Amino acid sequence: QVQLLESGGGLVQTGGSLRLACEVFGRTFSTTAMGWFRQAPGKEREFVAAVRWSGDNIYYTDDVKGRFTISRDAAKDRGYLQMNSLKPDDTAVYYCTLKVTYFSSNYYLAGSWEYWGQGTQVTVSS
């Protein structure tokens, strides 16, 4: 059974930085990608970033390009989301997710990912 555990959330001022980590337990060789989504109160869960498990391709939503960096350490079964220049609009619960099926163009849809962590709160104060 695959389990994901996020850490690193917290309270930060505008312009600050946070680094989220995602530890994977029970990962299988069929893993194709790791991603991060976020959900603000009253809003739908939205795509933030994704990286192919092979490391070949990385994807970001436009809002975080140039500010966030996704990475993964395949040897340690861990992933990271470095978040810089944070803004109040970045406030949300951030979820780590893992895909074990074919990685296709619908990666930005939450329903296309199979495993999810419990989420970690990120709050950016103005």
Side-chain angles (χ1 to χ4, degrees):
Q1 180 70 18
V2 177
Q3 293 184 324
L4 308 177
L5 182 63
E6 303 100 332
S7 61
L11 174 64
V12 65
Q13 292 185 334
T14 296
S17 298
L18 284 174
R19 188 192 194 207
L20 305 184
C22 177
E23 189 167 7
V24 183
F25 300 92
R27 189 183 68 82
T28 70
F29 288 106
S30 60
T31 299
T32 54
M34 171 176 279
W36 291 90
F37 282 69
R38 65 186 179 186
Q39 189 167 17
K43 295 187 176 181
E44 293 187 355
R45 192 169 297 188
E46 65 173 2
F47 171 77
V48 176
V51 57
R52 298 274 195 120
W53 197 252
S54 61
D56 293 345
N57 300 92
I58 291 177
Y59 309 83
Y60 297 101
T61 189
D62 287 344
D63 184 51
V64 307
K65 284 180 181 177
R67 301 190 298 123
F68 291 10
T69 302
I70 188 173
S71 62
R72 97 281 175 266
D73 186 333
K76 295 182 178 180
D77 281 347
R78 290 192 176 191
Y80 305 94
L81 186 67
Q82 177 67 44
M83 306 186 294
N84 300 327
S85 302
L86 284 162
K87 305 180 292 185
D89 284 348
D90 295 317
T91 296
V93 176
Y94 283 71
Y95 296 90
C96 174
T97 183
L98 209 67
K99 175 179 281 293
V100 297
T101 55
Y102 178 73
F103 189 90
S104 64
S105 59
N106 67 350
Y107 62 85
Y108 59 94
L109 297 176
S112 69
W113 297 77
E114 288 79 33
Y115 297 99
W116 295 84
Q118 83 291 346
T120 185
Q121 177 70 47
V122 171
T123 303
V124 184
S125 63
S126 58

